[in-house]
Amino acid sequence: MPMIRDAMTGDWIGTWSGHKGAVWSTKLDPSAYLAATASGDFSVKVWDGVNGTCLFTYPHKHIVKTVDFSSDSKRLATGGHEGLLRIFDLEKGEKAEDSPILIAQIDSGKVNITKCLWLDDKIVLAAASDGNVRCWDVDKSQLLCTLTVKGNAEVRDMELSKLKNGGGKTILTVAAGDTVTFFELVQGQGQGDLKGSLLYAHKMPAHFRDEGGASLHPSGTKFVAGGSDLWVRVFDFETGEQLECHRGHHGPIRCLRYAPDGKTYASGSEDGTIRLWKTDP
């Protein structure tokens, strides 16, 4: 069951109970008043982030692997084994399940959506099992651009960062196969004008075929990654040189994220623990 804890002490705050299958993705909206969960029970639930009440349940036709709120908290993007990117209008409440925007990722056949992220209130990035990240104008159901990782490996993790240094560049971090790839995203003046360019692709000592992820430090100088082995490593952003290696987990790494201020980062493992690390010990 998904739960929320105090980030400093680890103390339990609350648990969202209601799903009947594994929960694959959890998100708080930007205000932290709403939470969303994607589950193997073929549903997505939206919760009151303060008291834990289930507000809406949106049925799907297959396992749901990812969920994300738009920056204005008015819409919710979901994806999973159906291969459909769904956009729900949360202002419609429970009735949103009757008329979501549905966007198939390919014209024929099917790919699983592994991650989805809002770039702004109109553009959603959907990562898939074919190694492609497709960038969609969801209002027009228009494909703006496609970013491809090395070897078309299934995308395991994806993060958007706006760098504090370097002119506020928007960087997409992608963990797939045995590589962490960085793309720069540039939005033009025209509506729906989006381009992505490859910056770096660094081969890792662990792979992301079954689990793992990567996170870029807010400064844009280094990143943390973990996957199939038990170690959490820090690397140089430009060269890929390993800077640090930390032991402590007793199972493969499932997820990692830097705190917004960059002073700490968190790692979650199959050993059932979340560890908080100091960025500069």
Side-chain angles (χ1 to χ4, degrees), residues 206-245:
H207 67 75
F208 309 107
R209 288 190 288 273
D210 302 309
E211 59 272 307
S215 181
L216 180 63
H217 189 270
S219 67
T221 60
K222 55 188 174 182
F223 66 96
V224 62
S228 56
D229 60 16
L230 313 182
W231 297 346
V232 176
R233 297 178 173 90
V234 180
F235 300 88
D236 183 87
F237 172 59
E238 294 184 354
T239 67
E241 177 188 357
Q242 182 174 305
L243 305 176
E244 304 170 27
C245 182

Side-chain angles (χ1 to χ4, degrees), residues 45-85:
K45 291 182 181 291
V46 179
W47 311 79
D48 185 308
V50 177
N51 61 32
T53 302
C54 182
L55 302 175
F56 320 122
T57 298
Y58 299 135
H60 290 59
K61 295 181 180 179
H62 213 311
I63 294 169
V64 192
K65 297 298 295 265
T66 180
V67 63
D68 194 33
F69 288 98
S70 59
S71 60
D72 60 8
S73 301
K74 293 182 179 179
R75 297 201 281 186
L76 188 72
T78 72
H81 288 189
E82 278 184 273
L84 293 174
L85 178 64

